Amino acid sequence: MSATLRPLAVEVRDVTKSFGGVRALDGVSLDLAEGEVHALLGENGAGKTTLSNILCGLYRADAGEVIVGGGERHFQSPAQAIEAGIGMVHQHFKLVNSMTVAENLHLGSPDTPRVVSARALVASAQRMMDDIGLVVDPTAKVWQLSVGEQQRVEILRVLARGARVLILDEPTAVLAATEADELFAVMRRLVAGGRTVVFISHKLNEVLQVSDRISVLRGGRHVVTREAAGATARELARLMTGEEMGIEVEHREVTGETVLELRGVTSRNSRGVVALHDVDLSVRGGEILGVAGVSGNGQTELAEVVTGLRSPEAGTITIDGVDVSAASTRRIADLGVGHIPEDRIGVGMVASAPVKDNAILRHYRSDELSSKQFLRRDRILAFATSIVEAGRVQTRSVHMPAGQMSGGNQQRLVARRESLLADRLLVAAHPTRGLDVLAAKQVQSAIVERRDAGCAVVMISDDLDELLVVADRVAVMYEGRIMGVFDRASFDREHIGLLMGGRTEAVAG
Ligand SMILES: Nc1ncnc2c1ncn2[C@@H]1O[C@H](COP(=O)(O)OP(=O)(O)O)[C@@H](O)[C@H]1O
Ligand SMILES: [Mg+2]
C-alpha cells in the first residue's frame, strides 16, 4: 500500500518556532502515516530536532497545529505527548546508568507498582521485550551496556509507555554500521505492526535504505515530502542543500500591447488613510511587473483597486482600454483578470465550503459549468478535481471544507484557480509566501507560464530576490508612492533596497 493512502497518525500544519531571532521552523506542514518509516532529512540546523521536540511535547510551537487522531493538540509536556501516543528517543540518552535495564524500563511508568520485587521487574521487562521483539539483558546495569544496547533500552522505554509514534533523533550517529542495520530491522518490525517511526538523519543512504517516505527540511522550511522508492541520493542532496532549486526564467523583449494602465490613482485604506498617492503604472501583455516593497506600503491597496475590491478616489484604471475605475470584481474578472489575494482565507476562499466549491468559486458563471441556471454537478466535480490535480493541492477529499487543508494547500488551490481565470491580467499578491520550496517554484513557474501565454502579470512580493529572478520590470513602492521602475538592464539590488526603505538620496549619486 502506498504510504500516502495509509491512515494518518499525526498531521503537522504550518508550524512555526523561533528562538530569539532565529526562526528554527517556518510554516512547516507534513503528515505522518500509520505503518511507515518517515525520514526527516536535512542538514545541521534545518530544524529536525526542533520539530521533533514540538511533536514530543518538549517545546511549544509559536504558531500552527499538531493534529493527532483528528484533534488539535497543544502538548504542555512530554507526558501529555506520550499519553497521545508520541514518544521520542533523544540524541542524548536519558537512562540512569547505575540502575538495571529492568529498573530503567519501569522508572516513572504509571503502571509500575510502588513496591515490587526485583524479580517481578525483570519478568515484566522480559515480557515487554518479547512482545516488542527487542532484547537486552534485563538484569544488566546500564553502564555495562554498549551504546547500541542502551539505545534499545531507550526505545523500549518509550514503547512501554504505549507510543504508537516513535521519533528517533539521529539514532545512527552513535552506532557502528552493523548496529545501524540491526536498528533498521527493528524499525521495520515496528512499522509492520502498524506503528509510525520518524527517523531523523542527514545521511542519504540510510534514509533511502530504511524509509517509506522522506520529508526534507531546509533552513526551517519544508522542502518536499516524497516516497523513498525511486528517489536518488543525488536528488535528495540537491533538495537538502538547495542547489539548483531556483527557477530559471527567460526574459525577452516585451512586445505585447498595454493591458493594465493606472493614471494618477489615489486611494484610501480601510482606516481612511491615503494608501496610494497618485500612482502611475502600466503593464503589457507578456510582461511581469514585480512590485517590490516592505509589506504595508500600499501594495495590498494597489491589488485591491486593480481587481475591483476597492475604488480609487482619484485617477483612472483601464484594462485593455476599458475604464474599470468603478467596475465590480465580477465585471473585472469577466475581462479575464485573476487575483491571488494576500489574504487567501479571508478574500480568496470560503473556509467552511468544500474544496470543490472553492475550486469553482469564481468560475461558476462560465458556460461550461452552468446551463440554464443549474450548476452541473458532474462537470463541477470534474473541473474542481482538475484544478486540485493540476495545482498539486493535497487534500483528502474535494468534499471536505477547504479551511481544513493546510495553509500551503489553500494557497495552491487559489493560485491555480486564479491563474485559469487570468486570460489578460493576473494580480498575484505574495503568491509564494509560506509555501514550501518546491511549491513556491511551481507557483513561480505557473506565473511565468501565464506571461508566456501573453497575459500581463502584477506580482507583489516582499522577497526582492524572487522578483529579481521572475520579473521583467520592478516597481518599488514606499508609503503609497512609486519610488521608481526598473527594467532588467537597470536592476540594482542595493539601489532598489534603499528605495524600499524610502531612501532616495542614492538616486542622485
Ligand atoms: N533551544 C534553542 N535555543 C536557540 N536556538 C535553537 C535552539 N534549538 C535550536 N535552535 C536553532 O534552531 C535551528 C534549528 O535547529 P535544530 O532543530 O536543532 O536543527 P537540526 O536538528 O536539523 O540540526 C538552528 O539554527 C539552531 O541553532
Ligand atoms: Mg538535530
Side-chain angles (χ1 to χ4, degrees):
M1 179 162 55
S2 155
T4 43
L5 297 178
R6 296 189 177 117
L8 295 187
V10 179
E11 282 176 81
V12 174
R13 284 230 204 124
D14 298 324
V15 163
T16 293
K17 174 80 182 172
S18 296
F19 298 101
V22 179
R23 185 161 273 214
L25 295 173
D26 186 1
V28 169
S29 299
L30 51 87
D31 59 65
L32 306 172
E34 291 176 10
E36 72 167 344
V37 174
H38 193 126
L40 282 187
L41 177 70
E43 297 188 306
N44 277 327
K48 307 180 295 292
T49 297
T50 303
L51 179 59
S52 308
N53 283 341
I54 288 170
L55 286 174
C56 80
L58 213 54
Y59 293 165
R60 300 189 60 195
D62 299 336
E65 295 157 22
V66 173
I67 297 163
V68 183
E72 191 180 328
R73 304 297 302 264
H74 296 274
F75 302 130
Q76 310 284 338
S77 67
Q80 287 182 0
I82 197 82
E83 225 167 85
I86 303 176
M88 178 162 173
V89 173
H90 295 269
Q91 271 166 302
H92 303 287
F93 301 153
K94 306 194 170 196
L95 301 173
V96 182
N97 279 326
S98 58
M99 288 189 178
T100 66
V101 168
E103 286 163 344
N104 268 281
L105 288 181
H106 291 87
L107 199 66
S109 165
D111 299 335
T112 307
R114 250 185 297 156
V115 183
V116 63
S117 73
R119 203 205 273 162
L121 276 189
V122 167
S124 141
Q126 190 65 56
R127 264 198 312 280
M128 186 191 300
M129 291 189 215
D130 292 342
D131 277 355
I132 295 167
L134 247 181
V135 181
V136 189
D137 176 0
T139 63
K141 297 258 163 80
V142 165
W143 61 265
Q144 296 174 312
L145 302 177
S146 72
V147 176
E149 287 171 316
Q150 292 184 20
Q151 189 176 59
R152 290 184 166 208
V153 179
E154 283 277 5
I155 293 173
L156 283 163
R157 249 175 77 83
V158 175
L159 295 175
R161 279 158 187 68
R164 301 293 302 163
V165 176
L166 178 70
I167 305 171
L168 303 173
D169 193 358
E170 308 254 7
T172 59
V174 296
L175 299 181
T178 51
E179 286 177 317
D181 286 339
E182 285 170 31
L183 173 66
F184 294 161
V186 170
M187 286 160 58
R188 294 306 323 170
R189 270 208 302 284
L190 290 173
V191 301
R195 288 190 178 84
T196 305
V197 173
V198 176
F199 172 49
I200 298 180
S201 176
H202 57 263
K203 296 182 190 159
L204 299 168
N205 290 331
E206 290 185 345
V207 159
L208 285 167
Q209 182 185 343
V210 73
S211 314
D212 297 293
R213 287 195 301 163
I214 302 168
S215 287
V216 180
L217 295 182
R218 186 172 78 242
R221 290 180 71 185
H222 174 243
V223 177
V224 71
T225 296
R226 59 155 301 159
E227 303 269 338
T232 65
R234 213 185 129 89
E235 167 201 347
L236 292 175
R238 281 198 210 121
L239 293 168
M240 254 169 87
T241 58
E243 220 180 288
E244 297 172 40
M245 284 294 297
I247 65 163
E248 279 174 36
V249 180
E250 239 188 279
H251 295 277
R252 286 176 237 100
E253 198 190 335
V254 176
T255 54
E257 304 274 319
T258 297
V259 174
L260 174 68
E261 180 139 47
L262 284 80
R263 284 285 160 253
V265 171
T266 294
S267 179
R268 286 175 196 274
N269 66 17
S270 323
R271 296 185 313 275
V273 178
V274 174
L276 296 175
H277 290 272
D278 197 18
V279 168
D280 293 335
L281 275 180
S282 66
V283 194
R284 296 160 76 165
E287 177 183 49
I288 298 173
L289 175 73
V291 178
V294 177
S295 285
N297 276 284
Q299 299 97 316
T300 308
E301 291 78 8
L302 175 69
E304 288 173 352
V305 293
V306 170
T307 56
L309 286 164
R310 181 177 298 282
S311 321
E313 233 168 60
T316 56
I317 303 169
T318 57
I319 293 172
D320 285 327
V322 178
D323 188 332
V324 295
S325 311
S328 66
T329 52
R330 183 79 250 168
R331 162 113 175 91
I332 290 174
D334 285 346
L335 290 173
V337 178
H339 180 206
I340 304 174
E342 183 172 358
D343 177 5
R344 249 67 73 171
I345 298 163
V347 177
M349 281 199 354
V350 181
S352 58
V355 172
K356 68 174 172 37
D357 293 0
N358 275 285
I360 64 144
L361 193 62
R362 301 236 294 159
H363 294 270
Y364 63 89
R365 281 222 319 224
S366 71
D367 298 338
E368 252 192 53
L369 298 179
S370 55
S371 59
K372 296 192 180 131
Q373 314 283 336
F374 291 103
L375 296 177
R376 308 201 17 186
R377 272 199 211 111
D378 50 340
R379 288 219 182 153
I380 287 175
L381 196 60
F383 182 66
T385 305
S386 74
I387 288 186
V388 164
E389 282 171 3
R392 300 181 210 214
V393 179
Q394 286 157 17
T395 177
R396 259 169 286 143
S397 154
V398 294
H399 302 286
M400 88 176 190
Q404 285 181 15
M405 295 193 297
S406 71
N409 283 308
Q410 295 175 9
Q411 189 163 347
R412 290 185 208 203
L413 178 67
V414 173
R416 184 70 198 179
R417 182 189 74 204
E418 296 298 317
S419 298
L420 279 180
L421 205 61
D423 271 336
R424 297 300 299 148
L425 174 66
L426 177 63
V427 178
H430 307 288
T432 61
R433 190 189 271 169
L435 288 182
D436 69 43
V437 179
L438 279 194
K441 189 172 159 180
Q442 285 160 9
V443 167
Q444 290 164 347
S445 304
I447 287 172
V448 172
E449 244 173 67
R450 289 313 308 143
R451 177 201 71 172
D452 291 344
C455 182
V457 179
V458 176
M459 179 167 174
I460 296 168
S461 176
D462 41 24
D463 181 349
L464 180 56
D465 292 320
E466 169 179 65
L467 292 180
L468 293 180
V469 171
V470 175
D472 297 290
R473 283 189 301 141
V474 168
V476 186
M477 283 193 87
Y478 178 73
E479 294 193 340
R481 291 193 164 83
I482 303 294
M483 305 291 282
V485 181
F486 300 83
D487 55 27
R488 291 200 67 83
S490 59
F491 276 4
D492 173 350
R493 207 182 181 292
E494 197 182 344
H495 185 182
I496 293 176
L498 284 169
L499 291 176
M500 283 169 62
R503 308 246 317 256
T504 51
E505 62 266 40
V507 181

